[in-house]
């Protein structure tokens, strides 16, 4: 439920206190998805020779709605809301994703794997209008609950940057889009050893999602709402295959998941690997990310969105 809709719902205060408390808890506990994607200024950049600029779109995981204000949810609504917010004890950290990822590449701290064809970091350049990432206001992340989602067509550059960004040891839930390869035999992210090296620097990582964005033609629009979603709106890959009537796996996606799986198996700590599909992804202009909003929640005949 969006708190912005409370003003339109005139009978909220008439609800039983127990129900109001559940709604407040739902509001203040809702996890966020921090979707990192290329900024519009990167459209004509060559990701093999130039550092991309990234933007971050923040989604409410329960509704798929974009959160325009990247700050923590305000508790200054009324005493009831304030008490619930304090009881949640969430810790919010300000992060400038675009600035940190770009600086990780150009500073030379992010060692580039041999298979990745970027030129030496000392010769890489930022786009001329780099104030987009340096002056963008921070978004606030609760690393215990929120997810970082690298939804980038050239996801390798953002992934390798994770080796040296200042918040690398805070990420607990990471989703990585499997990009389309320019070469049939090329596996995104390459061999397992460089992948393992990046993951080793992410010392608090607990869950790793390997994400496929499907061709819209594979799943009928009427089928999509019936698919089960996890906490962050993803559909399990096996369920997607069944719903789409696909008898075989996506070879590129499967090989990439295997590379990450092998990298995790060689580590000394447990990371849960999940293969999922972002079926709610909506095609939009370059440098933007959108999802189809989740269906509204119905409580005793009242619809909440």
């Amino acid at each position: 439920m969006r708190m912005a809709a409370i003003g339109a719902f005139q009978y909220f205060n008439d609800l039983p206190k127990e129900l109001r408390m559940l709604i407040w808890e739902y509001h203040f506990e809702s996890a966020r998805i921090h979707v990192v994607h290329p900024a519009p200024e990167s459209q004509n950049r060559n990701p093999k020779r130039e550092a991309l600029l990234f933007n971050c779109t923040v989604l409410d995981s329960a509704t798929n709605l974009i959160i325009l204000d990247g700050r923590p949810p305000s508790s200054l609504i009324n005493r009831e809301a304030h008490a619930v917010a304090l009881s949640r004890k969430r810790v919010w950290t300000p992060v400038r994703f675009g600035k940190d990822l770009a600086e990780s590449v150009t500073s030379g701290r992010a060692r580039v794997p041999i298979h990745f064809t970027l030129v030496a970091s000392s010769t890489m350049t930022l786009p001329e209008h780099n104030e987009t990432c340096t002056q963008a206001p921070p978004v606030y992340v609760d690393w215990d609950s929120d997810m970082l989602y690298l939804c980038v067509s050239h996801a390798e550059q953002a992934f390798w940057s994770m080796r040296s960004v200042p918040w690398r040891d805070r990420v607990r839930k990471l989703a990585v889009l499997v990009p389309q390869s320019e070469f049939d035999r090329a596996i995104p992210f390459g061999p397992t050893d460089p992948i393992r090296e990046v993951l080793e620097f992410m010392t608090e990582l607990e869950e790793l999602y390997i994400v496929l964005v499907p061709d819209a033609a594979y799943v009928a629009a009427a089928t999509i709402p019936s698919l089960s979603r996890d906490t962050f709106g993803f559909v399990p890959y096996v369920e997607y295959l069944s719903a789409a009537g696909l008898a075989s796996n996506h070879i590129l996606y499967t090989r990439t998941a295997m590379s990450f799986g092998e990298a995790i198996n060689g580590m000394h700590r447990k990371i849960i690997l999940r293969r999922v599909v972002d079926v709610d992804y909506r095609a939009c202009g370059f440098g933007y990310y959108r999802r189809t909003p989740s269906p509204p929640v119905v409580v005793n005949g009242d619809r909440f969105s």
Side-chain angles (χ1 to χ4, degrees):
M1 175 181 179
R2 285 185 296 169
M3 291 299 106
I6 286 183
F9 183 61
Q10 301 177 2
Y11 303 103
F12 180 78
N13 291 331
D14 296 332
L15 294 174
K17 182 177 180 180
E18 294 78 8
L19 182 54
R20 294 201 310 271
M21 297 300 288
L22 288 174
I23 293 174
W24 288 126
E25 291 174 2
Y26 177 84
H27 173 59
F28 289 111
E29 288 182 350
S30 183
R32 296 181 173 188
I33 310 173
H34 302 273
V35 186
V36 171
H37 51 83
E41 293 87 347
S42 295
Q43 183 169 9
N44 298 319
R45 302 290 289 181
N46 181 350
K48 299 182 184 301
R49 296 185 175 275
E50 298 168 292
L52 300 178
L53 287 180
F54 298 101
N55 281 349
C56 179
T57 296
V58 184
L59 296 182
D60 179 275
S61 62
T63 62
N64 281 341
L65 296 175
I66 294 175
I67 299 174
L68 298 177
D69 187 346
R71 294 174 296 180
S74 174
S75 65
L76 302 179
I77 301 173
N78 57 34
R79 291 183 179 180
E80 200 171 70
H82 185 66
V84 173
L86 290 180
S87 69
R88 299 304 93 187
K89 298 180 180 180
R90 300 185 70 174
V91 178
W92 298 91
T93 304
V95 178
R96 285 184 168 86
F97 287 107
K99 175 179 178 293
D100 293 340
L101 289 169
E103 287 184 352
S104 178
V105 174
T106 57
S107 67
R109 297 193 304 267
R111 184 176 65 81
V112 177
I114 296 176
H115 87 284
F116 199 46
T117 55
L118 283 168
V119 296
S121 58
S122 60
T123 64
M124 294 185 67
T125 59
L126 278 169
E128 293 180 1
H129 302 291
N130 60 355
E131 65 271 8
T132 298
C133 64
T134 58
Q135 296 182 3
V139 296
Y140 285 76
V141 184
D142 175 6
W143 292 116
D144 287 341
S145 302
D146 295 354
M147 166 180 282
L148 174 61
Y149 179 13
L150 303 181
C151 188
V152 186
S153 57
H154 296 279
E156 293 96 334
Q157 188 176 125
F159 179 73
W160 302 126
S161 300
M162 295 296 296
R163 183 179 182 272
S164 59
V165 289
W167 32 265
R168 63 187 180 277
D169 57 352
R170 303 292 302 278
V171 181
R172 296 197 176 188
K173 300 173 182 64
L174 175 67
V176 181
L177 174 71
V178 176
Q180 297 297 320
S181 174
E182 298 178 3
F183 307 99
D184 293 338
R185 296 183 180 180
I187 304 177
F189 307 100
T192 59
D193 286 345
I195 294 175
R196 184 182 300 116
E197 181 177 344
V198 174
L199 297 178
E200 289 284 4
F201 278 90
M202 304 175 69
T203 56
E204 296 298 317
L205 186 64
E206 299 173 349
E207 298 179 70
L208 177 60
Y209 293 68
I210 307 302
V211 184
L212 171 71
V213 171
D215 187 325
Y218 284 147
V219 180
T223 305
I224 291 178
S226 65
L227 296 174
S228 62
R229 305 320 200 258
D230 64 16
T231 303
F232 296 99
F234 295 117
V235 172
Y237 179 61
V238 174
E239 181 177 340
Y240 161 75
L241 287 180
S242 176
L246 300 176
S248 60
N249 293 351
H250 294 71
I251 295 177
L252 183 66
Y253 173 81
T254 301
R255 292 172 70 187
T256 302
M258 289 177 60
S259 295
F260 275 90
E262 292 173 359
I264 289 174
N265 289 336
M267 298 178 64
H268 299 294
R269 55 190 171 86
K270 183 178 180 180
I271 298 176
I272 299 174
L273 181 68
R274 305 187 190 279
R275 297 196 303 164
V276 298
V277 184
D278 190 357
V279 296
D280 293 322
Y281 172 83
R282 296 177 63 181
C284 52
F286 183 90
Y288 298 92
Y289 176 89
R290 293 181 63 190
R291 272 184 175 181
T292 301
S294 298
V297 177
V298 179
V299 180
N300 294 331
D302 291 319
R303 293 165 61 91
F304 299 92
S305 60

